[in-house]
Amino acid sequence: NAGTGLSAGMDAAAFSERLASLSHNRTKKYVLQEGVPVPFLVDLGVMTAEGKVVKSRYDKFRQINRFLEFIEDVLPNLDPNRTNTIIDFGCGKSYLTFAMYYYLHVLKKYSIRVIGLDLKKDDIAGYEGVDQVDMVVTLHACDTATDYALAKAVKWGAKVILSVPCCQHEINKQIQNKELYPIMDYGILKERMAALLTDGIRAKLLENAGYETQILEFIDMEHTPKNIMIRAIRQGKKADGAALETMMKELHVKPTLYGLLVGEE
């Protein structure tokens, strides 16, 4: 190091700082990068024709990229050598459906068939258009519509499930427990706890059905507290549901997904 005029200690410090800088920059790198025009984002008004993100749509840009990070993570579970069928329940304005298609088909060259269904729970329950599905995405299917979509995903043997639930009222109406009175006495606290419990039970029911399940933070498009994603990967080994059954009995709750999955066994 004599030629540089820096001591080894300073070199180490500078190297550490450089590593930290690189790490910081890496966290800022999006799947879809600003400055590179993406046709569907230009069409949807998120980007200009030159690839610059429209300032008022930056939240949408961040959300699309966060969603694509989840898709990137599950890519090993899809087969690049055949056509993968993807069902999108509750696709709404389809921003994320377009993003998923663009990433998987245009960027990653996977052969995919995307079926977008913006449906109510009765329609979801009755949908019989396919026999087998590789991935199910359900974004903001209201209340128990999410449960019907998750049950369909399990029935189809979907390898991947990505679910962002919405407005959960069912357990809030059912739950009874005197020991939880500090929460049960206050409507807003009871409502929040019921929503968290709903998603926790859904995740555990998926584990009982043979999925490895995570609950992750998602950037919500509606600026509400509903910012949770349930991500489930089918791995075959079913978890024991006895403890979950006991807990549900103690709280006097019986969610729709329980009836749909366990009721069929």
Side-chain angles (χ1 to χ4, degrees), residues 12-234:
F15 183 67
S16 295
E17 185 177 339
R18 178 67 177 148
L19 272 182
S21 172
L22 286 171
S23 176
H24 177 71
N25 289 339
R26 204 158 44 239
T27 62
K28 293 291 185 184
K29 187 178 179 183
Y30 291 122
V31 177
L32 303 179
Q33 297 176 43
E34 187 166 9
V36 181
V38 177
F40 85 90
L41 290 181
V42 175
D43 291 342
L44 293 170
V46 175
M47 271 185 175
T48 67
E50 295 74 38
K52 182 175 174 57
V53 178
V54 176
K55 191 173 182 180
S56 62
R57 310 307 298 278
Y58 213 90
D59 282 350
K60 176 62 66 180
F61 179 70
R62 287 176 61 242
Q63 187 216 32
I64 287 169
N65 273 289
R66 179 66 172 142
F67 181 68
L68 290 182
E69 287 174 11
F70 292 129
I71 301 295
E72 194 172 44
D73 287 346
V74 302
L75 201 58
N77 299 281
L78 300 179
D79 188 344
N81 300 312
R82 64 172 181 80
T83 299
N84 292 269
T85 299
I86 301 172
I87 297 279
D88 183 357
F89 281 119
C91 54
K93 293 180 180 178
S94 300
Y95 285 88
L96 300 180
T97 307
F98 283 126
M100 177 172 60
Y101 181 86
Y102 180 82
Y103 176 77
L104 289 173
H105 186 64
V106 179
L107 295 185
K108 295 298 181 180
K109 310 301 183 188
Y110 276 59
S111 176
I112 61 170
R113 175 191 181 205
V114 180
I115 302 169
L117 302 167
D118 195 10
L119 301 177
K120 307 299 182 190
K121 66 181 181 183
D122 292 342
D123 299 315
I124 291 173
Y127 180 70
E128 298 291 348
V130 291
D131 296 321
Q132 185 273 331
V133 173
D134 296 285
M135 181 160 75
V136 168
V137 178
T138 168
L139 304 173
H140 299 89
C142 192
D143 200 15
T144 56
T146 292
D147 299 302
Y148 285 96
L150 292 176
K152 278 287 189 182
V154 172
K155 179 184 175 185
W156 285 324
K159 296 184 186 71
V160 177
I161 301 170
L162 299 178
S163 175
V164 178
C166 184
C167 55
Q168 301 128 320
H169 304 303
E170 184 179 46
I171 281 184
N172 191 32
K173 295 173 184 173
Q174 297 175 351
I175 189 168
Q176 297 175 39
N177 189 287
K178 292 179 181 178
E179 284 75 20
L180 292 175
Y181 75 93
I183 291 174
M184 302 292 283
D185 283 358
Y186 303 102
I188 190 170
L189 296 183
K190 182 187 174 194
E191 182 182 354
R192 288 183 183 180
M193 188 187 76
L196 293 172
L197 191 61
T198 298
D199 289 334
I201 292 174
R202 283 169 172 159
K204 290 302 177 187
L205 285 170
L206 289 174
E207 289 181 7
N208 296 349
Y211 286 80
E212 181 180 340
T213 308
Q214 293 173 289
I215 292 189
L216 305 162
E217 189 173 32
F218 184 55
I219 303 167
D220 192 84
M221 68 186 80
E222 307 297 340
H223 305 291
T224 72
K226 303 292 190 295
N227 63 342
I228 280 175
M229 172 179 277
I230 302 171
R231 181 170 72 190
I233 308 294
R234 185 160 61 90

